[in-house]
Amino acid sequence: MKSYEVNFDGLVGPTHNYGGLSYGNVASQSNSQQSSNPKEAALQGLAKMKALTDMGFQQGVLAPQERPDVAALRRLGFSGTDAQVIERAAKEAMPLLVASCSASSMWVANAATVSPSADTADGRVHFTAANLNCKYHRSIEHPTTSRVLGAMFANQQHFAHHAALPAVAQFGDEGAANHTRFCREYGEAGVEFFVFGRSAFDNRFPAPQKYPARQTLEASQAVARLHGLRDEGVVYAQQNPNVIDQGVFHNDVIAVGNGEVLFYHEDAFLETDKMLAELQGKLAKVGGNFQSVCVPRSAVTVDDAVRSYLFNSQLLSRPDGSMLLIVPQECQANERVWTYLQSLTSSGGLIREVKVFDLKQSMQNGGGPACLRLRVALNETELAAVNPGVIMTAPLYGSLTAWVEKHYRDRLSETDLADPQLLLECRTALDELTQILKLGAVYPFQIN
Ligand code: SUG
């Protein structure tokens, strides 16, 4: 049976703004308080989805969330009408209003961890929503994420959904941003690679000194258990704590994998040789030939990687077996990175072509091409069981573009977040969106 990697991209929500909310994420910190352009952000994301669809890749779309999250503000003690809740939060606790307005759910690589059916004990595709509990503004995403994923993959015979892990730091889970899967064919058993930043219960593992390590070993292990993965099909590795301290807040900022290939920076991991040997050995047991492409620090520094997002690229398999790298335009702007990419594609290796995309609006908050997509490997039967409303097509692209043009503002600054009109605009837009994507009622304002 044929199988595919389907990329579901997060649609940027109408409140996209630069809140400076992510300590440890250099771009989020340095662009704090700048005014944003939600319309442009959403159109940039849609243009990437359309381009990949036109290139023949399977592409889907994941809906944004209801923001401002009035219910979250109510849980923090703000009361009255929805407009009063927003007004009071703006007056008394602006940072909480900013957090409740974040459009951060667009970075769907953090929405969940997904294991394809060929890897799981019960032969279903498993999803665990990420608790994202390192940052308040992200920790409020998972209930709606679960409802949206449930509406997209609404078939119990093929899809199993797990609630987010307990919302405590010991089980900090950032989803697929710290998870990669290696395989020969998407529909065959593979090796799932979980990268953690620290251990919550075992102090033999070093931890970063400056910035938080968001993913714990124990969270990754719990996800592997929930999904029914075999020990032989799993490899755990620790991220180098020094790179976390340099702004590598997720592993997908310093490594990306696809098929049998891992593309990574020399400084990305601890005990790299042991890890590569384990990946190679375990992939060989399922018939695969593991290959790694290491980018030396002499060619690209960790700082270059953080600024350009070279590794936050999408590594895509083409029908002839070669691979294509989708990178943000910041890679072209960095001379060392661009020179490296020229040598990579002309070296006769598997990665033959680089395509550049303008994702500046998202990049300024630390979200590159890979952050914007959640990969789901599906066989033909499973693909047919996905809600067809969320699969990207030319007509859907047309409807979504028109929807963005109709509802989104082209400028948003912190003071605009206090405007109760923004809440009404967002709810009107999202209500229409659930009809376009045929999701049913998934937002708090639709179900409460
Ligand atoms: O969690 N930025 C996100 C970026 C997530 C990128 N995702 C991956 N690497 N997969 C984060 O730090 C910034 C929001 C703000 O500051 O307004 C933010 O949440």
Side-chain angles (χ1 to χ4, degrees), residues 16-25 27-29 31-32 98 102-110 132 135 137-138 141 174 176-178 214 249-253 309 312 362 364-368 370-373:
H16 161 62
N17 74 95
Y18 300 118
L21 298 169
S22 278
Y23 180 65
N25 167 343
S28 153
Q29 295 286 278
N31 293 305
S32 173
V98 175
S102 179
S104 55
S105 68
M106 70 170 90
W107 300 298
V108 294
N110 305 117
L132 296 172
K135 307 282 176 225
H137 71 288
R138 304 221 59 183
E141 291 174 26
E174 300 275 319
N178 297 313
R214 298 194 195 185
F249 56 97
H250 288 137
N251 181 59
D252 69 3
V253 176
Y309 264 39
N312 200 260
S362 167
Q364 292 189 142
N365 251 341
C371 301
L372 285 163
R373 59 98 171 94

Side-chain angles (χ1 to χ4, degrees), residues 128-134 139 142 162-173 201 216 218-219 222-223 225-226:
T128 296
N131 62 27
L132 296 172
N133 83 319
C134 181
S139 71
H142 70 85
H162 305 278
L165 297 178
V168 290
Q170 283 124 318
F171 291 106
D173 178 20
F201 295 100
T216 68
E218 291 78 5
V223 171
R225 269 192 300 272
L226 284 165

Side-chain angles (χ1 to χ4, degrees), residues 286-365:
V286 286
N289 172 28
F290 179 71
Q291 298 160 59
S292 56
V293 181
C294 175
V295 181
R297 69 177 83 88
S298 57
V300 173
T301 64
V302 172
D303 188 56
D304 289 328
V306 171
R307 284 173 197 279
S308 69
Y309 264 39
L310 165 61
F311 298 94
N312 200 260
S313 45
Q314 285 179 257
L315 188 56
L316 301 171
S317 297
R318 299 198 284 203
D320 66 358
S322 72
M323 288 190 182
L324 163 70
L325 203 61
I326 303 289
V327 302
Q329 67 179 18
E330 285 72 4
C331 286
Q332 207 164 16
N334 180 309
E335 208 178 305
R336 274 186 301 276
V337 169
W338 195 241
T339 304
Y340 172 79
L341 283 172
Q342 303 309 306
S343 66
L344 175 72
T345 48
S346 54
S347 65
L350 265 182
I351 306 173
R352 305 261 167 81
E353 197 189 348
V354 169
K355 279 203 189 294
V356 178
F357 282 82
D358 177 4
L359 297 164
K360 188 163 183 246
Q361 286 288 327
S362 167
M363 283 289 288
Q364 292 189 142
N365 251 341

Side-chain angles (χ1 to χ4, degrees), residues 83-316:
Q84 284 166 340
V85 166
I86 291 171
E87 197 183 304
R88 285 174 188 165
K91 208 157 89 202
E92 295 166 31
M94 195 57 191
L96 299 183
L97 177 63
V98 175
S100 83
C101 288
S102 179
S104 55
S105 68
M106 70 170 90
W107 300 298
V108 294
N110 305 117
T113 306
V114 187
S115 294
S117 56
D119 294 352
T120 62
D122 66 1
R124 293 189 293 170
V125 183
H126 282 245
F127 300 80
T128 296
N131 62 27
L132 296 172
N133 83 319
C134 181
K135 307 282 176 225
Y136 171 67
H137 71 288
R138 304 221 59 183
S139 71
I140 57 179
E141 291 174 26
H142 70 85
T144 297
T145 301
S146 289
R147 278 194 299 275
V148 173
L149 288 175
M152 294 166 68
F153 302 95
N155 179 316
Q156 288 187 8
Q157 194 193 332
H158 295 297
F159 307 121
H161 295 277
H162 305 278
L165 297 178
V168 290
Q170 283 124 318
F171 291 106
D173 178 20
E174 300 275 319
N178 297 313
H179 173 261
T180 303
R181 175 175 185 262
F182 299 102
C183 60
R184 198 169 55 172
E185 294 287 336
Y186 294 118
E188 293 178 4
V191 176
E192 300 204 14
F193 180 47
F194 290 86
V195 181
F196 59 95
R198 68 186 175 97
S199 164
F201 295 100
D202 188 340
N203 58 18
R204 285 172 303 176
F205 294 92
Q209 302 293 305
K210 186 176 170 195
Y211 291 143
R214 298 194 195 185
Q215 180 88 29
T216 68
L217 168 62
E218 291 78 5
S220 300
Q221 289 169 328
V223 171
R225 269 192 300 272
L226 284 165
H227 292 194
L229 305 180
R230 302 163 302 122
D231 287 346
E232 275 309 287
V234 175
V235 172
Y236 298 99
Q238 184 169 7
Q239 224 187 324
N240 178 353
N242 293 332
V243 301
I244 296 180
D245 280 339
Q246 290 173 73
V248 182
F249 56 97
H250 288 137
N251 181 59
D252 69 3
V253 176
I254 196 116
V256 59
N258 170 46
E260 296 170 305
V261 178
L262 172 66
F263 178 59
Y264 71 102
H265 189 274
E266 183 178 3
D267 293 326
F269 306 102
L270 289 182
E271 300 194 86
T272 308
D273 291 343
K274 187 168 152 250
M275 169 200 98
L276 294 175
E278 194 180 349
L279 285 169
Q280 197 269 330
K282 288 188 169 172
L283 194 58
K285 286 203 180 124
V286 286
N289 172 28
F290 179 71
Q291 298 160 59
S292 56
V293 181
C294 175
V295 181
R297 69 177 83 88
S298 57
V300 173
T301 64
V302 172
D303 188 56
D304 289 328
V306 171
R307 284 173 197 279
S308 69
Y309 264 39
L310 165 61
F311 298 94
N312 200 260
S313 45
Q314 285 179 257
L315 188 56
L316 301 171

